[in-house]
Amino acid sequence: MTLKDKQFIKWVKNKFKNSEVFEEDLQNFNIEQVQNILKFQQTHPSYTHTPLYSLSNLANHLGVSMIQAKDESQRFGLNAFKVLGGIYAIAKYIANQLGEEIEDLSFDKLRDPSVKQRLGDVTFISATDGNHGRGVAWAARELGFKSVIYMPKGSSSQRLQAIRNEGALAEIQDVNYDDTVRICARLAEKNGWVMVQDTAWEGYDEIPLWIMQGYSAMALEIVEQWNQTSEQPPTHLFLQAGVGSFAAGIAGYFLRVYGEQAPKIVIVEPDQADCFYQSFITEKGERQFVGGAMATEMAGLACGEPNTEAFKLLRSYASGVLSCDDAISTVGMRVYGNPLKGDPSIVSGESGSVTLGAVYYLRKFMREHSITVDLELHEDARILVINTEGDTDEENYRKIVWDGFLPVQ
Ligand SMILES: Cc1ncc(COP(=O)(O)O)c(C=O)c1O
């Protein structure tokens, strides 16, 4: 098989999607609640909203109406969006311990020595491929608590160091992401530590929900920014998925705001860790797991077990899943970083770029293909993508963007 014959993108349409939007499915994404979460996040002195860029020359080039990209590489100086979830989950945990509401709290109040006196020493533990753990370690340190962070086999040493720099006790394990989560759950139980995991499973769903809600605050920012530049909402929302918490957090808020007029929600996964794709191709749409090494450049998306709560929402409301070869992510990194004149240059890492890479590839090389047609990715499309991380592994970034590693042609 030559590179030309290779299938870089697979698509499954979601045949389990609801025909209408039911409010009871969206109770966790109440607009006022999300506003309060964003207000809390804004109490941190280094908070600024991240930019929503218009890639209008790229949209022209690809023959679509609009492409806007939210750049989360600029979030809190941490090079990824994930901290939005960790911050809120830790704050909400502390608020509950204190018997307070999050809307009455700020970073300053939580940093007050009296809080530590009342709570004693708390250690937060989490498993991560990099970004989530860095966010948890950062939030714990900011609030004066300890953190322990474990990473799966093959994790990048730069990402490990970034977590240690936030004061966490961090180690790489000899197992994959999902098994690392299980190790952390056991340690939390044994030592009385608080597990702040960004995925839910049977019996563990409260903290993961707070994490998803933390991500929804980004969707609130996006809606406000989008409305400043366009009178019509996006038609397509491309969302990358590891365990699906991010996609569900963003999708939940958009569904809440736009109801039946919500954009098409398209899940994008690496083909080596495509647990949503594998679930949606089954006859009944039951949650499927992908195991083993999950060897993909998209480290942040190398998760084989969907979050139970995120899965429920996405199964009901996503239009389908794109399962992508690593080359879709690498082309996305190059397109982001080397824009057409007039568009901004955006530094996008392996997990951040795959959605733009998919849009580019479908419009450039598969315009007449049934996937593109089925997605209605045509000239009227108003597309929203989110660059969820910057160059969190700088050496790999250069290998891909400078040296041309993993081409699509
Ligand atoms: C950069 C980046 N994008 C997207 C995701 C996907 O998030 P989730 O695992 O909630 O699906 C991750 C997860 O770690 C990530 O690090």
Side-chain angles (χ1 to χ4, degrees), residues 93-100 105 109-110 112-122 145:
Y93 171 83
I94 298 173
N96 282 3
Q97 297 298 105
L98 297 173
E100 304 235 21
L105 292 173
K109 278 194 191 162
L110 290 181
D112 195 276
S114 63
V115 171
K116 195 98 191 277
Q117 265 165 18
R118 282 175 66 188
L119 259 66
D121 274 332
V122 181
F145 294 98

Side-chain angles (χ1 to χ4, degrees), residues 188-229:
E189 176 137 13
K190 186 169 143 215
N191 298 320
W193 294 343
V194 180
M195 176 107 176
V196 184
Q197 201 54 53
D198 51 352
T199 187
W201 55 87
E202 219 58 53
Y204 179 78
D205 51 20
E206 193 174 42
I207 288 181
L209 170 65
W210 298 339
I211 289 177
M212 277 196 273
Q213 290 174 323
Y215 301 156
S216 297
M218 183 213 302
L220 194 167
E221 273 184 13
I222 295 174
V223 169
E224 287 179 355
Q225 290 169 312
W226 184 282
N227 289 345
Q228 283 163 17
T229 55

Side-chain angles (χ1 to χ4, degrees), residues 311-375:
F311 186 78
K312 269 188 228 158
L313 189 91
L314 294 169
R315 185 181 182 278
S316 300
Y317 295 106
S319 291
V321 189
L322 292 169
S323 170
C324 299
D325 187 274
D326 277 351
I328 297 300
S329 143
T330 58
V331 75
M333 291 165 73
R334 291 188 278 266
V335 172
Y336 265 127
N338 303 275
L340 288 163
K341 244 197 198 83
D343 285 354
S345 169
I346 298 172
V347 176
S348 177
E350 300 83 341
S351 300
S353 61
V354 65
T355 43
L356 185 70
V359 169
Y360 172 79
Y361 193 79
L362 289 171
R363 283 298 298 178
K364 182 97 185 177
F365 300 113
M366 296 173 72
R367 205 171 277 202
E368 310 301 329
H369 194 281
S370 58
I371 299 180
T372 317
V373 173
D374 207 20
L375 272 169

